[in-house]
Amino acid sequence: ALFCESTGGFGYNSDGQRSDPGNCGWRPPLLATDDADLRRKRLNAELANGRLAMMAIIGMFFQDGLTGSPWGDWSLYTDSPLRAFENELGVQEPVGFWDPVGFTADGDLLAFKRRRCVELKHGRISMLATMGYITPEITGKFPGYLSPSMDLKFADIPNGLAAISKVPGAGWVQIVLYALFCESTGGFGYNSDGQRSDPGNCGWRPPLLATDDADLRRKRLNAELANGRLAMMAIIGMFFQDGLTGSAW
């Protein structure tokens, strides 16, 4: 390894391969070619495979360190504190229980419940925000005035981030006050323990969704978590796209 590092592989480029990155002077049989387009395609494939392999080997090291096997036999790792949360809502295929940062490594149930409350809240807000981006583009805006005193109609408010500067200050005060009310009361104030006993339960049973069937309720709550996670990614993507191009599309 030291020889390869000190000589630049086969010592082909005296400038440390800066003129032709990755070219160590060896032409592998069946892969080397003088066709410029084919060479570019193969070099792109090498980069893509290398990136995938970097992720794969780290995953194998991690799995091997946890279970003694790189092939993913999770049943071998019986002492993991993560097992306390294996059967919680949101543990879904194909990744199962996924906590790459290790927030649950200490097995703290109260901390897990608090984070689940936060995840549900952010997911719900993101689902509403995503629909708020999409709906005006499809159905149009409300009729009438947002601010009669300023002669400002709903139709005058642009969609997306551009609306931030158009909404009157009094409107933002109302939005912030309502958000603070929701934060301070826990939504509808249903759980005095901050929803830790039943994360996400604000005391409202949405029509057509609420059910007393335990299996169906679990299925729907899992769907809510999955959709909320997708919406968090979606709204961030929309913000980024809107900020770059002036449009979320």
Side-chain angles (χ1 to χ4, degrees), residues 129 132-133 137 157-167 172 235-248:
Y133 250 100
E137 297 283 348
I157 304 298
N159 196 23
L161 296 178
I164 294 175
S165 61
K166 303 298 183 182
V167 175
W172 281 113
I235 195 63
I236 286 295
M238 287 175 160
F239 285 158
F240 188 76
Q241 183 78 11
D242 198 350
L244 282 179
T245 68
S247 170

Side-chain angles (χ1 to χ4, degrees), residues 90-97 226 229:
V91 180
Q92 303 175 40
E93 295 298 335
V95 295
F97 186 84
R229 290 164 179 171

Side-chain angles (χ1 to χ4, degrees), residues 26 137 152 204 228 245 248:
W26 178 59
E137 297 283 348
L152 185 65
W204 179 58
T245 68

Side-chain angles (χ1 to χ4, degrees), residues 70-132:
W71 313 123
D73 191 354
W74 183 244
S75 63
L76 296 175
Y77 191 38
T78 57
D79 298 325
S80 171
L82 304 182
R83 288 193 174 276
F85 311 116
E86 274 187 333
N87 298 314
E88 292 287 344
L89 289 169
V91 180
Q92 303 175 40
E93 295 298 335
V95 295
F97 186 84
W98 192 64
D99 181 20
V101 182
F103 285 127
T104 58
D106 57 2
D108 188 327
L109 183 59
L110 287 179
F112 176 85
K113 295 288 188 182
R114 182 185 69 79
R115 292 191 180 101
R116 174 49 51 84
C117 290
V118 171
E119 179 185 23
L120 282 164
K121 182 187 297 181
H122 289 171
R124 289 168 178 174
I125 292 171
S126 295
M127 285 188 280
L128 288 170
T130 302
M131 291 305 300

Side-chain angles (χ1 to χ4, degrees), residues 175-206:
I175 293 169
V176 170
L177 287 176
Y178 179 68
L180 289 174
F181 166 75
C182 291
E183 284 293 316
S184 62
T185 62
F188 291 84
Y190 188 70
N191 292 321
S192 58
D193 61 353
Q195 300 179 32
R196 288 189 190 84
S197 59
D198 192 7
N201 187 346
C202 298
W204 179 58
R205 292 171 62 87

